[in-house]
Each structure stands twice: as C-alpha cells, then as structure tokens.
Amino acid sequence: MATSDTDPATIEGPARVPLSRRHMLRMGAAAAGGAVLVGTAEATSAQAAPVGAKRVLRAPALAPGDRVRVVSPGSTPDPTNMARGIEILRSWGLEVELGRHVFTKYGYLAGTDAQRLADLNAALTDPGIRAVFAARGGYGTQRIVDQIDVSVLRRDPRVVVGFSDITSIHGKLWRDTGLVTFYGPMVNWSDDRTGPESAEALRRAVMTTAPVTISRDPAETAASVVVPGRASGPLLGGCLTLISTSLGAEDSPKFDGAILFFEDVDEAPYSIDSMLTELRRVGVLRRVAGVVIGQITNSVGEPGEWDAAAMLKDRLYDLGVPVLGGLRLGHGDGQLTVPLGSRATIDATAGTLTVEPGVRPR
C-alpha cells in the first residue's frame, strides 16, 4: 500500500531545481572505470560472525477483528490511494483506524514534527492496537525518529509495516527493542504498481507464520549482480539513502554478521556508488555476512558511463561474501514484503532469499 514516492521535491529560486530525497536528507543532517569481472565469494558462509545475540521480538500474527492504526510519519498521502489501501486491509477482516494527522499538510510534511510523532507514539503505545501501518514515505521520519516511545513494545510488540523513508523507524525499533518489522507496501496503495501478488505477499507476511521466500527476478535492474554462495544472519537494511544518512545516529542498526538488504529510487549510479563507498569506508561492508539487493528503480546515468548493474558489481564483488541482486523489494512494480530482523538465508547460486517468519502464533 504505497506510492512510489518518486516525485522529487523542489525549491524556489531563479529556477525550479529538482531535489532527490537523498539531497533533502543531506541538507537536513547539515542543518541539525574499467571492465567489470564476474564475482566470486571465497567462502560460502558468513565471513563475519555476529558480535552479540540480540533478543528478537515478534508480534503475534494479525487476525480478523484486530485493530490496526495508519499513521503518516513522513509525507501526506493521497486520499484516493488511501481509500484503496484501507479497502484491502478491511478485506482481510482488520479494523482500520487513522491517526489524527494522517492527511495534515505542513510544508512537505504530514503535519508538524510534534503532530506526526504524537500519532506514531499513540499507535505504538495503545494496548488495543495490533499493527501500525505507514500511510506513505516521502520524507520526515528522521526528524522524529529519536523521540519514538519504545517502552511498550518490549512487553507488547506489534506489527509495524512500511518502506522507503520508514527505514529509519525499522532501524530504531530493531536497535532499541529487537522488534521484527516489515519492509513492504504502505496504505497509499497503487494498483498499477502493487497488484494482487503484492497484496497477498503482505497479507501472508503479517497474518501467517509461514517463512518468506523470494526469488531473483531476471527483469530487475540488479538481477545480473550475483556472487555465488550461501550466508545466514538477521536481515537488516532498507532504502540505501536512509541507511547512509542514518550512519552514526540512533536509528542505525549494527550490521555485524547481518544480511544487508538495500534498494533505492531515483538515484543515479554515481550516487549509489557514493553511498556504498561510504558504507565501505566506515566498515559496514567489511562486517556483513552477505548482501541482498532489491529494486534499483529509475537509476539512470550518463551515456558511456556505468549503468547501475555495472556499478554494483564494481562496488560489491570484492567483498568476499555472497551477493544476490534482483529481488522485488522496494520502490518498483510488484513490490513484495520481507521481515526485517528475522534470520535470513541467501542462496545466491539458487537465486533465493528465505526469511524466518516475522510474526509468532497467537
């Protein structure tokens, strides 16, 4: 249930200059080649072991009759798309409530920071709410993420769903509580982008205790990015822009021994290169057990330069860990849902990612 969040923000000046979400995040933080070779992993298991076991929290699986709350931690959703998303949730028997400021507009945000935070914290602490669904992404969660109230989640975990800008919330909840959350479509639903398969994948992820298995899609931009091998670890990550701009902050999880998952939208190959280089320089990519690449959407470079796949091979093939690209996770068509924080196994040779259930039996 998500808009693609691909429309760039703009600023007024002598000309209207498009700004990617990454540029907005960087501004906010400041205010507060050659031939590509086929990669091989020298080992088929994790090259880095977890530095310490985190107690993993799983919410009970959702069931018909459960109350769920929709909130807007970032940008304002479209009422028509929201109506479709709510219709889908209700078709599963869920009782859908809206946060007070879901449709509020405050600049490019869905209300002031205080309003968005109040709605999110109310949903995370209300004992009757069994799931929190993000209305949409856009921009704004990093402005409020450090003030999220996680106290109730430790004794009363609930399902949390969203992607894109919601990456910050996923990271914060994992780091502070060990809660497994879900990287999947939001309630600002587009049938053109997320059809019946997307809806069923989301339903199965949050309403059943079946493991999630996703296979490489040859049509995806990063499908040719493969380093054979197998690796296991907690699946962590999300939108690469949010991973990059959260480094060193309280919503940045420790990736030691993890399967790093990333995807992004509207970022040129050189921009993704820059963010991956940052992860290399600070040591993140030296400590992961493996890498999973989701949908690299609308990544267009200049003629004669590397395309996105070639750039990814150049940045990832020398890590010595399995790499699996081409999964339908992210901003592209046919988006699927995956639990973040659950133990995952990538088999890059077979082209599969298998993740343990993100919810527990009721």
Side-chain angles (χ1 to χ4, degrees), residues 50-316:
V51 294
K54 177 182 284 291
R55 177 172 178 250
V56 177
L57 292 178
R58 288 180 172 84
L62 295 180
D66 281 346
R67 291 170 55 207
V68 302
R69 185 81 54 82
V70 182
V71 297
S72 296
S75 298
T76 309
D78 175 80
T80 300
N81 290 347
M82 280 283 287
R84 175 59 177 144
I86 292 169
E87 178 185 32
I88 291 172
L89 293 180
R90 286 176 174 163
S91 74
W92 301 341
L94 301 175
E95 296 184 8
V96 182
E97 305 173 2
L98 299 184
R100 181 177 178 184
H101 301 98
V102 163
F103 293 111
T104 300
K105 288 188 69 67
Y106 178 74
Y108 40 73
L109 303 167
T112 65
D113 290 354
Q115 290 171 332
R116 300 190 327 281
L117 179 65
D119 281 2
L120 178 57
N121 280 339
L124 291 173
T125 58
D126 186 327
I129 296 298
R130 302 321 315 153
V132 182
F133 288 85
R136 64 160 291 187
Y139 170 74
T141 60
Q142 286 188 331
R143 293 175 55 138
I144 63 173
V145 68
D146 296 331
Q147 301 173 72
I148 290 177
D149 184 351
V150 300
S151 59
V152 173
L153 292 178
R154 295 189 178 96
R155 63 176 183 276
D156 185 19
R158 61 206 63 197
V159 167
V160 177
V161 181
F163 79 109
S164 190
D165 195 56
I166 309 304
T167 298
S168 285
I169 296 175
H170 292 306
K172 173 71 171 179
L173 298 185
W174 169 257
R175 179 164 165 165
D176 284 5
T177 72
L179 180 68
V180 174
T181 56
F182 295 86
Y183 202 83
M186 294 181 273
V187 186
N188 198 62
W189 195 272
S190 168
D191 284 315
D192 290 337
R193 193 185 76 83
T194 43
E197 185 181 3
S198 298
E200 176 59 15
L202 175 59
R203 187 199 68 80
R204 281 178 54 84
V206 300
M207 299 189 76
T208 80
T209 56
V212 174
T213 299
I214 300 176
S215 299
R216 182 180 67 90
D217 185 340
E220 286 295 332
T221 298
S224 67
V225 184
V226 176
V227 177
R230 288 173 57 92
S232 297
L235 184 69
L236 299 174
C239 181
L240 183 58
T241 295
L242 276 294
I243 297 171
S244 172
T245 54
S246 291
L247 289 175
E250 294 181 6
D251 55 318
S252 181
K254 294 185 182 301
F255 292 99
D256 301 52
I259 303 298
L260 170 65
F261 153 64
F262 70 85
E263 59 87 20
D264 219 320
V265 61
D266 290 342
E267 297 291 346
Y270 81 86
S271 178
I272 298 175
D273 182 328
S274 174
M275 290 184 278
L276 290 176
T277 298
E278 181 179 27
L279 296 185
R280 292 174 69 105
R281 295 182 68 202
V282 300
V284 168
L285 291 182
R286 289 199 304 269
R287 298 191 293 268
V288 299
V291 178
V292 168
I293 308 166
Q295 294 170 308
I296 304 299
T297 307
N298 194 27
S299 180
V300 180
E302 296 296 325
E305 296 181 349
W306 282 334
D307 62 12
M311 173 275 302
L312 289 167
K313 293 172 184 177
D314 180 80
R315 289 285 76 191
L316 300 174

Side-chain angles (χ1 to χ4, degrees), residues 305-335:
E305 296 181 349
W306 282 334
D307 62 12
M311 173 275 302
L312 289 167
K313 293 172 184 177
D314 180 80
R315 289 285 76 191
L316 300 174
Y317 272 16
D318 65 347
L319 298 179
V321 299
V323 177
L324 174 61
L327 302 190
R328 279 191 287 136
L329 298 168
H331 289 76
D333 293 343
Q335 178 191 11

